[in-house]
């Protein structure tokens, strides 16, 4: 554990995460415009279990209904992107980058599932 972070080995990254934006594309069936998630890059990550202290902090900051995801340090990840995990879309609420020295750096992302409209 370094700086309060438990470092994980590559085998523990068991979720495929796509990062991208919503863009207008052409529907191949109708030729009309449709807004859709367009991935920019994909990485491996893992859902991180929170301690009770983490839960209290998250609730105090108004980030209920969120979860933490750990990825290898990636400067391209920011809160303007969306993330797709297990065919569900998530907003990135917070990025906690690992700014320590070394090659095994990990970032913690706090994400919230996007609520689908019309259901």
């Amino acid at each position: 554990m370094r700086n309060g972070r438990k470092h994980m080995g590559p085998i523990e990254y068991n979720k495929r995460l796509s990062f991208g934006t919503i863009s207008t594309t052409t529907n191949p069936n109708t030729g009309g415009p449709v807004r859709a998630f367009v991935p920019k890059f994909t990485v491996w990550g893992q859902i991180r279990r929170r301690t009770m202290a983490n839960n209290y902090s998250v609730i105090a900051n108004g980030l209920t209904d969120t979860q933490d995801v750990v990825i290898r340090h990636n400067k391209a990840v920011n809160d303007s992107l969306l993330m797709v995990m297990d065919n569900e879309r998530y907003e990135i609420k917070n990025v906690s980058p690992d700014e320590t020295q070394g090659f095994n750096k990990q970032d913690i992302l706090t994400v919230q599932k996007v609520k689908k409209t019309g259901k």
Side-chain angles (χ1 to χ4, degrees), residues 42-112:
T42 303
V43 301
W44 287 97
Q46 179 192 34
I47 295 174
R48 179 176 178 246
R49 204 165 133 194
R50 290 182 180 152
T51 64
M52 286 305 279
N54 291 132
N55 279 333
Y56 294 138
S57 175
V58 165
I59 291 168
N61 289 317
L63 295 174
T64 56
D65 299 329
T66 61
Q67 59 185 335
D68 292 337
V69 177
V70 178
I71 62 171
R72 289 202 184 273
H73 180 62
N74 189 328
K75 291 181 182 180
V77 175
N78 61 65
D79 60 7
S80 70
L81 297 173
L82 293 172
M83 182 187 85
V84 171
M85 174 177 64
D86 296 333
N87 294 317
E88 295 285 343
R89 193 177 305 155
Y90 294 82
E91 290 180 348
I92 299 173
K93 295 296 188 177
N94 186 51
V95 178
S96 178
D98 188 346
E99 298 295 341
T100 60
Q101 297 294 321
F103 63 91
N104 194 21
K105 301 192 298 183
Q106 298 172 331
D107 298 338
I108 300 171
L109 313 177
T110 302
V111 298
Q112 185 174 44

Side-chain angles (χ1 to χ4, degrees), residues 15-58:
K15 296 284 185 185
R16 200 68 173 146
L17 312 172
S18 294
F19 294 89
T21 58
I22 298 292
S23 295
T24 302
T25 60
T26 303
N27 182 322
N29 298 322
T30 65
V34 63
R35 294 185 51 77
F37 176 78
V38 178
K40 294 185 181 290
F41 58 93
T42 303
V43 301
W44 287 97
Q46 179 192 34
I47 295 174
R48 179 176 178 246
R49 204 165 133 194
R50 290 182 180 152
T51 64
M52 286 305 279
N54 291 132
N55 279 333
Y56 294 138
S57 175
V58 165

